[in-house]
Amino acid sequence: MNVRFLGGAREVGRSALLVNDSLLLDFGMLTAEPPQFPVDTPDPEAVVVSHGHLDHVGTVPSLLSGDDRPPIHWTPPTAELALTLARDTLKLHGGSYNAPFTENDVKRVTEVSHTHGYREPFEAAGHEVTFYDAGHIPGSAHVLVDDGDTRLLYTGDFHTDDQRLVSGTTARPDADVVVCESTYSDVDHDPRADVESRFAESVKTTLWEGGTVVVPAFAIGRTQELLLICAAHDIPCYVDGMGKEVTEMLRRHPEFVRDADALRRAKSHARFVTGRDGQRKRITEQKAAIVTTSGMLSGGPAMTYIPEIRQRPTNKITMTGYQVEGTPGRRLLETGSAEIDGRVMPVSAQVEQYDFSAHADRDGLLSFLDAYRDATVLVNHGDRCADFVSELRADGFDASAPRLGEEFASG
Ligand SMILES: [Zn+2]
């Protein structure tokens, strides 16, 4: 088996792996100005996607822009998320060089889409492929690829701890080679229950004091997790942005969430914002939490809410995820100012940060990899892959961190 790293090697974003020159695993986009794509656009016989986040699926429609029509294999939620993200990319960048595909390419996606559940082996480009629940977001999968000689486990993004939306991964299928993500290889997450109760207490305090809380959140996974938390702690909340559509979609796939009843209750507990008749402005006067995209304040309805609430110190902004360097969210945490539509605005509202990560931390990664002490471990999807590899080697692992464009061969 040979594996070529076309993206996501020693970086986070634009994940893409080509197996045996025929089977493509993920084809993502790196969000930046301008966006970045995998270093090569192959013409694979088949495509398999691990989960529905932009950095894993964002560039997939471009594979259909020529005459080739490779089948695309994914779980049902991943298929729907891929289309949602593709439409959003067209809305943001359509017609420009930053959108590597057209509306027609996106239409073709549904013609070549094949959905599979977990633990249901299927054939793709002459390989046997099986999905296992990766516990990251609904529909997220570890991808096991068997070419008859070598079994490759591509972990995709995964979490070992339970979240309200999805349970942590427990699957450890036998494999000879493991491509393992390492996003948080130097982080220890606080226990989720602690983070959650700190968040709930803080939001409730602000509401008691008459303030409004804006909760910037990624649309896919994070928004639903926060709606579940708001419902569980009886926090009145609104939901806005792409997270609304994703919440509706997940209600149609109850078998891919941890507790479908809880998600149903959370959805009816939250009020969906239409944005009509100045509704957004009115909401910012209310004692409620507003869960809204974008998670890093780089667009979405958050851009309307922040200028409205920023001047009152009784109000609060709670960031709920990692803030990439150079994003307005990161700048707000570091400088106390928000840059909205090119204007720098000082923020008097309180600003807080919570770690609701959907990735395994250091302990989680090590406990996962403990099942693969006899395998070859290839570390990707992280900012410190080489450091993590040194630590794994010191611990007796056969580990390495491939570089962008590099090829790994075995068997
Ligand atoms: Zn992800």
Side-chain angles (χ1 to χ4, degrees), residues 51-53 55-56 136-137 157 359 381:
H51 68 284
H53 272 153
D55 57 331
H56 293 259
H136 174 58
I137 58 168
D157 294 354
H359 290 265
H381 200 286

Side-chain angles (χ1 to χ4, degrees), residues 4-20:
R4 208 145 70 85
F5 288 79
L6 304 179
R10 303 191 181 205
E11 65 183 1
V12 175
R14 59 170 170 176
S15 284
L17 293 180
L18 187 61
V19 179
N20 292 334

Side-chain angles (χ1 to χ4, degrees), residues 109-152:
V109 168
T110 48
E111 295 163 16
V112 296
S113 167
H114 299 259
T115 58
H116 310 271
Y118 297 130
R119 298 172 185 269
E120 294 170 4
F122 58 91
E123 190 272 334
H127 301 75
E128 185 181 89
V129 179
T130 315
F131 290 143
Y132 294 88
D133 189 348
H136 174 58
I137 58 168
S140 67
H142 303 302
V143 182
L144 184 69
V145 178
D146 191 338
D147 70 356
D149 290 320
T150 305
R151 292 161 302 174
L152 168 79

Side-chain angles (χ1 to χ4, degrees), residues 45 96 133 146 168 183 186 224 307 329 341 401:
E45 285 170 40
S96 84
D133 189 348
D146 191 338
T183 322
D186 62 341
Q224 295 76 41
D341 294 332

